[in-house]
Amino acid sequence: MKEIRAAPNKRFDGSILYTLPVLSDPNTGAVITDSLQIAEYLEKTYPEKPIFPNQTKALIHVYDAAYFSQIRPSCVFPIMRVKDILNERSVDYFVTTRQKTYNREFSQLSMEGPEREQHWATLEEGYSTIKSWYDKSDGKWLVGDLFSYADIVTGSWLLWMKKVLHRDEWERIASWHDGKLATLLADVERECKLV
């Protein structure tokens, strides 16, 4: 990452961490890190299909932070599942860095039983709040009939969970709110041409 001049992020303890995604644009030479900054860069540099419609950039920044605040308290459970899909070489690094981040043994992040059920309850509560925001929209997307980066945020988190959780765990989430979250993910995948 240093070789391509990617900017580092900081861990909770202040130490430096290089993260993905990173965009290296061969047309301009720009190197951008962080999903939201990449989206802003693409919007400015390649404005053919806006994802911050009708001057919603400030509101979408607030949505991004609010979404994360709803989901973060329960993320330790899906984070545990990431280990299951990594190649062997990556597992040690992933486990070690997550133990440092959470100051707990990896196997203790979300114990089966009451602690895991609390994580499930917190996750469902967070998604109930997010669903209520979509319910206030007059259209299919958070910004009515206009697809935006807010929908990409929602879809990205849901897609991550679909990829890392066990099938029965994803189906549990997909069944919440009469399948609205699964439908929203499918709509985002189609809009972004992922399917």
Side-chain angles (χ1 to χ4, degrees), residues 1 5 23 27 38 48-49 76 78 81 84-85 90 93 108 112 138 152 163 165-166 173 178 191 195:
M1 296 286 219
R5 300 178 335 270
L23 172 73
N27 297 322
I38 290 170
E48 293 80 26
K49 186 171 183 178
V76 291
R81 295 294 189 236
D84 299 340
I85 65 169
S90 298
Y93 175 80
Q108 305 294 311
E112 288 286 347
D138 291 329
I152 293 171
K163 295 292 184 186
L165 294 175
H166 296 163
I173 293 171
D178 297 321
E191 187 69 26
V195 290

Side-chain angles (χ1 to χ4, degrees), residues 53-71:
N54 298 336
Q55 301 178 340
T56 57
K57 187 163 87 171
L59 291 174
I60 290 173
H61 270 265
V62 171
Y63 178 79
D64 186 56
Y67 190 101
F68 189 63
S69 73
Q70 292 297 315
I71 301 306

